PDB file of all heavy atoms in Angstrom:
ATOM      1  N   GLY V 148       6.765   7.256  14.272  1.00 96.00           N
ATOM      2  CA  GLY V 148       6.814   8.710  14.419  1.00 96.00           C
ATOM      3  C   GLY V 148       7.002   9.401  13.080  1.00 96.00           C
ATOM      4  O   GLY V 148       6.367  10.412  12.787  1.00 96.00           O
ATOM      5  N   SER V 149       7.864   8.846  12.243  1.00 94.00           N
ATOM      6  CA  SER V 149       8.064   9.402  10.900  1.00 94.00           C
ATOM      7  C   SER V 149       6.790   9.311  10.075  1.00 94.00           C
ATOM      8  O   SER V 149       6.428  10.252   9.363  1.00 94.00           O
ATOM      9  CB  SER V 149       9.196   8.674  10.174  1.00 94.00           C
ATOM     10  OG  SER V 149      10.427   8.971  10.771  1.00 94.00           O
ATOM     11  N   LEU V 150       6.100   8.188  10.162  1.00 93.00           N
ATOM     12  CA  LEU V 150       4.828   8.037   9.433  1.00 93.00           C
ATOM     13  C   LEU V 150       3.786   9.035   9.934  1.00 93.00           C
ATOM     14  O   LEU V 150       3.060   9.636   9.136  1.00 93.00           O
ATOM     15  CB  LEU V 150       4.298   6.606   9.582  1.00 93.00           C
ATOM     16  CG  LEU V 150       5.008   5.540   8.764  1.00 93.00           C
ATOM     17  CD1 LEU V 150       4.503   4.154   9.149  1.00 93.00           C
ATOM     18  CD2 LEU V 150       4.810   5.780   7.281  1.00 93.00           C
ATOM     19  N   ALA V 151       3.723   9.212  11.245  1.00 95.00           N
ATOM     20  CA  ALA V 151       2.769  10.168  11.807  1.00 95.00           C
ATOM     21  C   ALA V 151       3.071  11.587  11.333  1.00 95.00           C
ATOM     22  O   ALA V 151       2.164  12.345  10.985  1.00 95.00           O
ATOM     23  CB  ALA V 151       2.780  10.111  13.336  1.00 95.00           C
ATOM     24  N   GLN V 152       4.349  11.935  11.285  1.00 95.00           N
ATOM     25  CA  GLN V 152       4.714  13.261  10.773  1.00 95.00           C
ATOM     26  C   GLN V 152       4.343  13.393   9.301  1.00 95.00           C
ATOM     27  O   GLN V 152       3.728  14.370   8.887  1.00 95.00           O
ATOM     28  CB  GLN V 152       6.217  13.499  10.912  1.00 95.00           C
ATOM     29  CG  GLN V 152       6.690  13.785  12.310  1.00 95.00           C
ATOM     30  CD  GLN V 152       8.175  14.018  12.323  1.00 95.00           C
ATOM     31  OE1 GLN V 152       8.656  14.984  11.728  1.00 95.00           O
ATOM     32  NE2 GLN V 152       8.922  13.145  12.985  1.00 95.00           N
ATOM     33  N   ARG V 153       4.717  12.400   8.515  1.00 92.00           N
ATOM     34  CA  ARG V 153       4.522  12.465   7.072  1.00 92.00           C
ATOM     35  C   ARG V 153       3.046  12.563   6.685  1.00 92.00           C
ATOM     36  O   ARG V 153       2.692  13.288   5.762  1.00 92.00           O
ATOM     37  CB  ARG V 153       5.165  11.247   6.411  1.00 92.00           C
ATOM     38  CG  ARG V 153       5.178  11.299   4.903  1.00 92.00           C
ATOM     39  CD  ARG V 153       5.939  10.133   4.282  1.00 92.00           C
ATOM     40  NE  ARG V 153       7.255   9.915   4.838  1.00 92.00           N
ATOM     41  CZ  ARG V 153       8.355  10.573   4.474  1.00 92.00           C
ATOM     42  NH1 ARG V 153       8.279  11.503   3.551  1.00 92.00           N
ATOM     43  NH2 ARG V 153       9.505  10.309   5.037  1.00 92.00           N
ATOM     44  N   TYR V 154       2.172  11.844   7.387  1.00 90.00           N
ATOM     45  CA  TYR V 154       0.782  11.757   6.946  1.00 90.00           C
ATOM     46  C   TYR V 154      -0.244  12.411   7.865  1.00 90.00           C
ATOM     47  O   TYR V 154      -1.411  12.507   7.501  1.00 90.00           O
ATOM     48  CB  TYR V 154       0.400  10.291   6.716  1.00 90.00           C
ATOM     49  CG  TYR V 154       1.255   9.666   5.648  1.00 90.00           C
ATOM     50  CD1 TYR V 154       2.204   8.700   5.963  1.00 90.00           C
ATOM     51  CD2 TYR V 154       1.152  10.072   4.324  1.00 90.00           C
ATOM     52  CE1 TYR V 154       3.006   8.145   4.979  1.00 90.00           C
ATOM     53  CE2 TYR V 154       1.952   9.530   3.337  1.00 90.00           C
ATOM     54  CZ  TYR V 154       2.875   8.570   3.675  1.00 90.00           C
ATOM     55  OH  TYR V 154       3.673   8.038   2.707  1.00 90.00           O
ATOM     56  N   VAL V 155       0.190  12.854   9.064  1.00 93.00           N
ATOM     57  CA  VAL V 155      -0.782  13.434   9.990  1.00 93.00           C
ATOM     58  C   VAL V 155      -0.405  14.854  10.416  1.00 93.00           C
ATOM     59  O   VAL V 155      -1.206  15.770  10.265  1.00 93.00           O
ATOM     60  CB  VAL V 155      -0.961  12.533  11.246  1.00 93.00           C
ATOM     61  CG1 VAL V 155      -1.970  13.149  12.213  1.00 93.00           C
ATOM     62  CG2 VAL V 155      -1.377  11.124  10.860  1.00 93.00           C
ATOM     63  N   THR V 156       0.798  15.042  10.932  1.00 96.00           N
ATOM     64  CA  THR V 156       1.119  16.328  11.558  1.00 96.00           C
ATOM     65  C   THR V 156       1.814  17.332  10.649  1.00 96.00           C
ATOM     66  O   THR V 156       2.010  18.480  11.053  1.00 96.00           O
ATOM     67  CB  THR V 156       1.964  16.139  12.838  1.00 96.00           C
ATOM     68  OG1 THR V 156       3.232  15.573  12.493  1.00 96.00           O
ATOM     69  CG2 THR V 156       1.243  15.257  13.846  1.00 96.00           C
ATOM     70  N   THR V 157       2.220  16.923   9.451  1.00 96.00           N
ATOM     71  CA  THR V 157       2.803  17.876   8.499  1.00 96.00           C
ATOM     72  C   THR V 157       2.153  17.703   7.133  1.00 96.00           C
ATOM     73  O   THR V 157       1.577  16.658   6.840  1.00 96.00           O
ATOM     74  CB  THR V 157       4.332  17.704   8.335  1.00 96.00           C
ATOM     75  OG1 THR V 157       4.614  16.467   7.685  1.00 96.00           O
ATOM     76  CG2 THR V 157       5.058  17.792   9.660  1.00 96.00           C
ATOM     77  N   ALA V 158       2.255  18.733   6.325  1.00 94.00           N
ATOM     78  CA  ALA V 158       1.828  18.697   4.924  1.00 94.00           C
ATOM     79  C   ALA V 158       2.779  19.602   4.145  1.00 94.00           C
ATOM     80  O   ALA V 158       3.275  20.599   4.673  1.00 94.00           O
ATOM     81  CB  ALA V 158       0.391  19.182   4.774  1.00 94.00           C
TER      82      ALA V 158
END
Side-chain angles (χ1 to χ4, degrees):
S149 291
L150 285 172
Q152 285 181 64
R153 187 175 310 277
Y154 299 110
V155 180
T156 64
T157 68

